[in-house]
Amino acid sequence: MKKNFLGINKISCFILSIILFFSLSACSADPQEIITTGSGTSFIKKITEDLDDVKGCKYETIRVAYTMFGKNFSMGPTDPSYRGIITLSEEEGERIFKEYNWLLDDTFTPDGMSEIDTSYLQGEDWYYCNDFDVHTFPTVIVNYVRFNGKDTIVFDVASF
């Protein structure tokens, strides 16, 4: 009886090691960004405060996952990141430009989005203001928010 138990134990260990080997080799080594796009003003109203007259918003929702057996998996519950473009009325743009102390960022280029066309934004001057970030985006972690001083905000934020 003891001899039979040892044989089953060896076979079980061998099978488990094969399963472990294949499951680890089927994982991608680097996390992949799963990006979905959206548009509309209802999304931006959820993550901002005190932006009145928003004309439109195009955004990407980014979730990080590993590919295993051809499917995307993440470790535990994860919160998405968002990046996109908010279009304001000229009056609203003028109001926030006057209300905050904006600083010119002469190194910023709005080309970090993969699914949204930003080519029409090239050549603009971009400004940043930490007070605006804190006041307007209080429920998210701000990676960057840039404003062209007229009617466009480019953002990259993450949820908690």
Side-chain angles (χ1 to χ4, degrees):
M1 184 77 161
K2 190 174 184 181
K3 196 175 193 181
N4 192 18
F5 178 74
L6 288 176
I8 291 173
N9 205 9
K10 287 181 182 179
I11 292 171
S12 297
C13 286
F14 177 74
I15 291 172
L16 284 174
S17 64
I18 296 291
I19 290 171
L20 182 63
F21 171 76
F22 282 120
S23 66
L24 291 177
S25 65
C27 292
S28 63
D30 297 319
Q32 306 294 316
E33 285 188 343
I34 311 303
I35 299 172
T36 55
T37 58
S39 62
T41 59
S42 61
F43 161 75
I44 206 62
K45 289 178 183 177
K46 292 179 186 177
I47 66 167
T48 63
E49 291 183 8
D50 198 33
L51 275 184
D52 297 328
D53 211 3
V54 174
K55 296 293 184 188
C57 178
K58 297 177 197 168
Y59 62 93
E60 298 175 339
T61 302
I62 303 102
R63 296 182 188 275
V64 177
Y66 290 89
T67 302
M68 187 173 6
F69 303 113
K71 298 201 184 263
N72 295 320
F73 293 96
S74 62
M75 298 301 288
T78 58
D79 293 326
S81 297
Y82 305 97
R83 58 187 173 217
I85 302 166
I86 302 168
T87 305
L88 306 170
S89 69
E90 288 182 23
E91 294 80 17
E92 180 67 1
E94 186 176 316
R95 178 189 73 81
I96 64 173
F97 196 67
K98 287 179 181 177
E99 191 171 313
Y100 293 94
N101 185 26
W102 295 93
L103 301 171
L104 180 64
D105 182 352
D106 56 0
T107 62
F108 180 75
T109 57
D111 54 4
M113 293 174 231
S114 59
E115 303 289 324
I116 297 174
D117 178 27
T118 59
S119 62
Y120 69 97
L121 299 173
Q122 303 302 322
E124 295 272 352
D125 285 335
W126 294 100
Y127 302 89
Y128 69 96
C129 176
N130 292 331
D131 290 340
F132 177 79
D133 297 354
V134 170
H135 185 253
T136 307
F137 293 87
T139 62
V140 292
I141 300 167
V142 174
N143 296 320
Y144 68 79
V145 172
R146 296 296 183 270
F147 176 49
N148 72 350
K150 297 177 262 185
D151 62 356
T152 303
I153 296 172
V154 178
F155 66 93
D156 186 333
V157 298
S159 52
F160 289 106

